[in-house]
Amino acid sequence: MVGGPARFRVIAMLACVLALVTADQGTIGAVGLEIQRSMGLTNTELGSLSAVSSAAGAAAVLPFGVLTDRINRVRFLTACIALWSLAMIAGGLADSLAWLLCSRIAVGALTAAAGPSVISLVGDFFPASERGRIYGFILSGEMLGAGFGLLAGGTLAQLLSWRAAFWFLALVGIAFVFVIARKLREPERGGQSRLPAVTPGRRATPDHDDTARRAVRRRRIRPDPAALLRHDPAHMSMWQAIRYVLSIRTNVALVVASVIGYFFLAGLRTFAIVFVHQQYGLGQAALTGMVLLVGVGALLGVLSGGRLADHLTRRGHISARMVVPAIGYGTAAVFFVPGLLTTSSAIALPFLFVAAASSSAAVPPLDAARLDVVHFRLWGRAESIRTFLRVGGEAVAPVVFGLLADVLGPGGTTSAQGLRYAFLIMLVPLVANAVVLLHGRHAYPHDVAAAAASERMRD
């Protein structure tokens, strides 16, 4: 399915890196009540555990992006995971809020290394023609990790304590340190270590196919002069890198779409359980089953979106990595509406299933497109800039959703009216995402040509 055992090993390890990050986030949500009871925390103090972690990640991701572009990424990831595991152990030993907050700051900062490192490694291990599909497999680790954190963390907290959940994740992280140190090797930058696909009965042959760039050359599409790189990327300051990356029109559209998409996801993730319980009147078992089924839809979407965009690109649709996410966001907005308006879970489920699949299908093509339009020496910093802005959107989303729900609906925990109106209003940014990406598809071929020309000039 992925082209042989060497490729599978890399994909699995990078997926596990992302899974560790989301497993930590899921565990905090699963054991929050136990932490609150154990340490006598207020709701505000409990919420601060997530807030300080996000803030630390936003602060650390920019310098981590610089390091990603300049040092051995595998060693960097290994060191961060090892330190993250120690921070989780320290968090499990906490006997005060201050101690626990310090451990969450360390965890948030260290997990910020994952985004820039993973995207840079994907760019050097896999050819551009199939990065969307590969990203689908890797990003599935995020969803599986979040589910693992919720289930394992909640179970351990009930059977033992919330501290055991922290220590269990730390042990998983320590074990993974030894795996990644032994099995993952640092690739050469610029795609010179791409892993060849192996098909049964055939020899493995290097695959240097870059469909979008080849199509751009064949059609003689001229590069956007504003996106041509005029400085050595290896020696650019962070400020120069920020200015350059945000001068690429396609990348700006991709960053905006990513920030809005994760903003909506963060609000949905925060209030989904409450809304489903209030809107459809489900018990705990039925509620869990419905959430799991919608999660399956999201997993199928993330596995198919990149594959579809890659297929269309090979068929000659150069801007498919912009168009597929645009259609995904638009479709999600349309299907969310009936799912949010009905009070029948049986009627809502198929609509929410399609909406979850469509919105998640947008993510892998967006990640692949960002590599297409940025010089390979700037992949880490470009991703750190996007992550910084994305984390900001994720941090304010629960507050915005909550305020809208409180303003638009009656107080208390029995009515879903406020959340229903809040979700419906927040579908407007998803539609805006579709418009932004469809507009950005015109600049995409020129920015692909500019990235290729910039790399040739620096070579």
Side-chain angles (χ1 to χ4, degrees), residues 75-96:
R75 291 176 186 168
F76 180 48
L77 264 181
T78 304
C80 286
I81 295 171
L83 293 173
W84 171 84
S85 301
L86 294 178
M88 290 295 288
I89 293 174
L93 295 171
D95 60 1
S96 67

PDB file of all heavy atoms in Angstrom, residues 75-96:
ATOM      1  N   ARG A  75      17.993  13.385  15.231  1.00  0.00           N
ATOM      2  CA  ARG A  75      18.553  13.533  16.574  1.00  0.00           C
ATOM      3  C   ARG A  75      17.779  14.573  17.385  1.00  0.00           C
ATOM      4  O   ARG A  75      17.554  14.406  18.594  1.00  0.00           O
ATOM      5  CB  ARG A  75      20.020  13.934  16.476  1.00  0.00           C
ATOM      6  CG  ARG A  75      20.927  12.840  15.922  1.00  0.00           C
ATOM      7  CD  ARG A  75      22.339  13.345  15.764  1.00  0.00           C
ATOM      8  NE  ARG A  75      23.197  12.360  15.108  1.00  0.00           N
ATOM      9  CZ  ARG A  75      24.408  12.626  14.642  1.00  0.00           C
ATOM     10  NH1 ARG A  75      24.909  13.854  14.768  1.00  0.00           N
ATOM     11  NH2 ARG A  75      25.114  11.689  14.059  1.00  0.00           N
ATOM     12  N   PHE A  76      17.384  15.630  16.721  1.00  0.00           N
ATOM     13  CA  PHE A  76      16.612  16.683  17.383  1.00  0.00           C
ATOM     14  C   PHE A  76      15.279  16.127  17.899  1.00  0.00           C
ATOM     15  O   PHE A  76      14.893  16.356  19.051  1.00  0.00           O
ATOM     16  CB  PHE A  76      16.387  17.817  16.394  1.00  0.00           C
ATOM     17  CG  PHE A  76      15.597  18.975  16.937  1.00  0.00           C
ATOM     18  CD1 PHE A  76      15.906  19.549  18.158  1.00  0.00           C
ATOM     19  CD2 PHE A  76      14.536  19.501  16.212  1.00  0.00           C
ATOM     20  CE1 PHE A  76      15.180  20.627  18.646  1.00  0.00           C
ATOM     21  CE2 PHE A  76      13.810  20.574  16.690  1.00  0.00           C
ATOM     22  CZ  PHE A  76      14.126  21.135  17.909  1.00  0.00           C
ATOM     23  N   LEU A  77      14.573  15.383  17.035  1.00  0.00           N
ATOM     24  CA  LEU A  77      13.313  14.773  17.451  1.00  0.00           C
ATOM     25  C   LEU A  77      13.516  13.800  18.608  1.00  0.00           C
ATOM     26  O   LEU A  77      12.741  13.781  19.568  1.00  0.00           O
ATOM     27  CB  LEU A  77      12.676  14.035  16.271  1.00  0.00           C
ATOM     28  CG  LEU A  77      11.620  14.754  15.442  1.00  0.00           C
ATOM     29  CD1 LEU A  77      11.105  13.846  14.350  1.00  0.00           C
ATOM     30  CD2 LEU A  77      10.471  15.226  16.322  1.00  0.00           C
ATOM     31  N   THR A  78      14.548  12.981  18.512  1.00  0.00           N
ATOM     32  CA  THR A  78      14.826  11.991  19.562  1.00  0.00           C
ATOM     33  C   THR A  78      15.062  12.671  20.898  1.00  0.00           C
ATOM     34  O   THR A  78      14.534  12.247  21.941  1.00  0.00           O
ATOM     35  CB  THR A  78      16.052  11.148  19.173  1.00  0.00           C
ATOM     36  OG1 THR A  78      15.837  10.535  17.894  1.00  0.00           O
ATOM     37  CG2 THR A  78      16.300  10.061  20.201  1.00  0.00           C
ATOM     38  N   ALA A  79      15.864  13.743  20.885  1.00  0.00           N
ATOM     39  CA  ALA A  79      16.149  14.465  22.131  1.00  0.00           C
ATOM     40  C   ALA A  79      14.880  15.090  22.702  1.00  0.00           C
ATOM     41  O   ALA A  79      14.635  15.031  23.919  1.00  0.00           O
ATOM     42  CB  ALA A  79      17.199  15.544  21.873  1.00  0.00           C
ATOM     43  N   CYS A  80      14.050  15.666  21.849  1.00  0.00           N
ATOM     44  CA  CYS A  80      12.818  16.311  22.327  1.00  0.00           C
ATOM     45  C   CYS A  80      11.850  15.294  22.911  1.00  0.00           C
ATOM     46  O   CYS A  80      11.193  15.561  23.931  1.00  0.00           O
ATOM     47  CB  CYS A  80      12.154  17.087  21.184  1.00  0.00           C
ATOM     48  SG  CYS A  80      13.012  18.618  20.753  1.00  0.00           S
ATOM     49  N   ILE A  81      11.736  14.118  22.277  1.00  0.00           N
ATOM     50  CA  ILE A  81      10.837  13.089  22.806  1.00  0.00           C
ATOM     51  C   ILE A  81      11.335  12.568  24.150  1.00  0.00           C
ATOM     52  O   ILE A  81      10.555  12.314  25.075  1.00  0.00           O
ATOM     53  CB  ILE A  81      10.682  11.941  21.789  1.00  0.00           C
ATOM     54  CG1 ILE A  81       9.990  12.439  20.525  1.00  0.00           C
ATOM     55  CG2 ILE A  81       9.882  10.787  22.393  1.00  0.00           C
ATOM     56  CD1 ILE A  81       9.986  11.442  19.385  1.00  0.00           C
ATOM     57  N   ALA A  82      12.660  12.416  24.273  1.00  0.00           N
ATOM     58  CA  ALA A  82      13.220  11.962  25.553  1.00  0.00           C
ATOM     59  C   ALA A  82      12.933  12.974  26.662  1.00  0.00           C
ATOM     60  O   ALA A  82      12.509  12.608  27.771  1.00  0.00           O
ATOM     61  CB  ALA A  82      14.721  11.743  25.399  1.00  0.00           C
ATOM     62  N   LEU A  83      13.144  14.262  26.366  1.00  0.00           N
ATOM     63  CA  LEU A  83      12.881  15.297  27.367  1.00  0.00           C
ATOM     64  C   LEU A  83      11.388  15.413  27.661  1.00  0.00           C
ATOM     65  O   LEU A  83      10.975  15.667  28.803  1.00  0.00           O
ATOM     66  CB  LEU A  83      13.438  16.636  26.885  1.00  0.00           C
ATOM     67  CG  LEU A  83      14.969  16.723  26.794  1.00  0.00           C
ATOM     68  CD1 LEU A  83      15.388  18.034  26.136  1.00  0.00           C
ATOM     69  CD2 LEU A  83      15.606  16.586  28.174  1.00  0.00           C
ATOM     70  N   TRP A  84      10.565  15.232  26.625  1.00  0.00           N
ATOM     71  CA  TRP A  84       9.111  15.238  26.812  1.00  0.00           C
ATOM     72  C   TRP A  84       8.689  14.131  27.776  1.00  0.00           C
ATOM     73  O   TRP A  84       7.850  14.342  28.655  1.00  0.00           O
ATOM     74  CB  TRP A  84       8.432  15.056  25.457  1.00  0.00           C
ATOM     75  CG  TRP A  84       6.958  14.823  25.522  1.00  0.00           C
ATOM     76  CD1 TRP A  84       5.978  15.769  25.613  1.00  0.00           C
ATOM     77  CD2 TRP A  84       6.278  13.559  25.512  1.00  0.00           C
ATOM     78  NE1 TRP A  84       4.736  15.183  25.655  1.00  0.00           N
ATOM     79  CE2 TRP A  84       4.890  13.827  25.596  1.00  0.00           C
ATOM     80  CE3 TRP A  84       6.710  12.236  25.432  1.00  0.00           C
ATOM     81  CZ2 TRP A  84       3.937  12.814  25.604  1.00  0.00           C
ATOM     82  CZ3 TRP A  84       5.761  11.227  25.434  1.00  0.00           C
ATOM     83  CH2 TRP A  84       4.399  11.513  25.526  1.00  0.00           C
ATOM     84  N   SER A  85       9.286  12.955  27.632  1.00  0.00           N
ATOM     85  CA  SER A  85       8.966  11.831  28.520  1.00  0.00           C
ATOM     86  C   SER A  85       9.328  12.159  29.965  1.00  0.00           C
ATOM     87  O   SER A  85       8.573  11.843  30.902  1.00  0.00           O
ATOM     88  CB  SER A  85       9.700  10.565  28.065  1.00  0.00           C
ATOM     89  OG  SER A  85       9.338  10.222  26.746  1.00  0.00           O
ATOM     90  N   LEU A  86      10.483  12.809  30.159  1.00  0.00           N
ATOM     91  CA  LEU A  86      10.880  13.201  31.515  1.00  0.00           C
ATOM     92  C   LEU A  86       9.917  14.238  32.087  1.00  0.00           C
ATOM     93  O   LEU A  86       9.583  14.203  33.279  1.00  0.00           O
ATOM     94  CB  LEU A  86      12.305  13.764  31.494  1.00  0.00           C
ATOM     95  CG  LEU A  86      13.414  12.769  31.129  1.00  0.00           C
ATOM     96  CD1 LEU A  86      14.763  13.472  31.088  1.00  0.00           C
ATOM     97  CD2 LEU A  86      13.448  11.607  32.123  1.00  0.00           C
ATOM     98  N   ALA A  87       9.453  15.160  31.221  1.00  0.00           N
ATOM     99  CA  ALA A  87       8.492  16.158  31.684  1.00  0.00           C
ATOM    100  C   ALA A  87       7.167  15.512  32.073  1.00  0.00           C
ATOM    101  O   ALA A  87       6.507  15.947  33.024  1.00  0.00           O
ATOM    102  CB  ALA A  87       8.273  17.211  30.600  1.00  0.00           C
ATOM    103  N   MET A  88       6.758  14.462  31.340  1.00  0.00           N
ATOM    104  CA  MET A  88       5.533  13.750  31.701  1.00  0.00           C
ATOM    105  C   MET A  88       5.687  13.035  33.044  1.00  0.00           C
ATOM    106  O   MET A  88       4.756  13.009  33.858  1.00  0.00           O
ATOM    107  CB  MET A  88       5.182  12.742  30.608  1.00  0.00           C
ATOM    108  CG  MET A  88       4.719  13.353  29.305  1.00  0.00           C
ATOM    109  SD  MET A  88       3.157  14.257  29.467  1.00  0.00           S
ATOM    110  CE  MET A  88       2.002  12.907  29.684  1.00  0.00           C
ATOM    111  N   ILE A  89       6.857  12.464  33.292  1.00  0.00           N
ATOM    112  CA  ILE A  89       7.108  11.817  34.588  1.00  0.00           C
ATOM    113  C   ILE A  89       7.038  12.851  35.701  1.00  0.00           C
ATOM    114  O   ILE A  89       6.424  12.624  36.751  1.00  0.00           O
ATOM    115  CB  ILE A  89       8.480  11.116  34.575  1.00  0.00           C
ATOM    116  CG1 ILE A  89       8.462   9.927  33.600  1.00  0.00           C
ATOM    117  CG2 ILE A  89       8.855  10.643  35.976  1.00  0.00           C
ATOM    118  CD1 ILE A  89       9.814   9.265  33.416  1.00  0.00           C
ATOM    119  N   ALA A  90       7.658  14.011  35.461  1.00  0.00           N
ATOM    120  CA  ALA A  90       7.618  15.078  36.470  1.00  0.00           C
ATOM    121  C   ALA A  90       6.184  15.538  36.715  1.00  0.00           C
ATOM    122  O   ALA A  90       5.796  15.806  37.859  1.00  0.00           O
ATOM    123  CB  ALA A  90       8.488  16.256  36.020  1.00  0.00           C
ATOM    124  N   GLY A  91       5.376  15.623  35.664  1.00  0.00           N
ATOM    125  CA  GLY A  91       3.984  16.017  35.829  1.00  0.00           C
ATOM    126  C   GLY A  91       3.211  15.028  36.672  1.00  0.00           C
ATOM    127  O   GLY A  91       2.353  15.403  37.481  1.00  0.00           O
ATOM    128  N   GLY A  92       3.503  13.741  36.504  1.00  0.00           N
ATOM    129  CA  GLY A  92       2.837  12.718  37.307  1.00  0.00           C
ATOM    130  C   GLY A  92       3.221  12.771  38.771  1.00  0.00           C
ATOM    131  O   GLY A  92       2.496  12.238  39.625  1.00  0.00           O
ATOM    132  N   LEU A  93       4.367  13.402  39.068  1.00  0.00           N
ATOM    133  CA  LEU A  93       4.811  13.521  40.461  1.00  0.00           C
ATOM    134  C   LEU A  93       4.340  14.812  41.114  1.00  0.00           C
ATOM    135  O   LEU A  93       4.599  15.038  42.301  1.00  0.00           O
ATOM    136  CB  LEU A  93       6.349  13.470  40.524  1.00  0.00           C
ATOM    137  CG  LEU A  93       6.997  12.146  40.102  1.00  0.00           C
ATOM    138  CD1 LEU A  93       8.502  12.319  39.998  1.00  0.00           C
ATOM    139  CD2 LEU A  93       6.655  11.034  41.083  1.00  0.00           C
ATOM    140  N   ALA A  94       3.660  15.666  40.369  1.00  0.00           N
ATOM    141  CA  ALA A  94       3.297  16.991  40.863  1.00  0.00           C
ATOM    142  C   ALA A  94       2.372  16.911  42.072  1.00  0.00           C
ATOM    143  O   ALA A  94       1.434  16.103  42.101  1.00  0.00           O
ATOM    144  CB  ALA A  94       2.628  17.790  39.744  1.00  0.00           C
ATOM    145  N   ASP A  95       2.642  17.770  43.057  1.00  0.00           N
ATOM    146  CA  ASP A  95       1.762  17.858  44.233  1.00  0.00           C
ATOM    147  C   ASP A  95       1.200  19.261  44.401  1.00  0.00           C
ATOM    148  O   ASP A  95       0.629  19.576  45.450  1.00  0.00           O
ATOM    149  CB  ASP A  95       2.498  17.418  45.498  1.00  0.00           C
ATOM    150  CG  ASP A  95       3.731  18.275  45.778  1.00  0.00           C
ATOM    151  OD1 ASP A  95       3.997  19.223  44.998  1.00  0.00           O
ATOM    152  OD2 ASP A  95       4.421  18.003  46.778  1.00  0.00           O
ATOM    153  N   SER A  96       1.389  20.107  43.392  1.00  0.00           N
ATOM    154  CA  SER A  96       0.841  21.461  43.438  1.00  0.00           C
ATOM    155  C   SER A  96       0.537  21.918  42.022  1.00  0.00           C
ATOM    156  O   SER A  96       1.070  21.376  41.034  1.00  0.00           O
ATOM    157  CB  SER A  96       1.832  22.431  44.092  1.00  0.00           C
ATOM    158  OG  SER A  96       2.980  22.594  43.270  1.00  0.00           O
TER     159      SER A  96
END
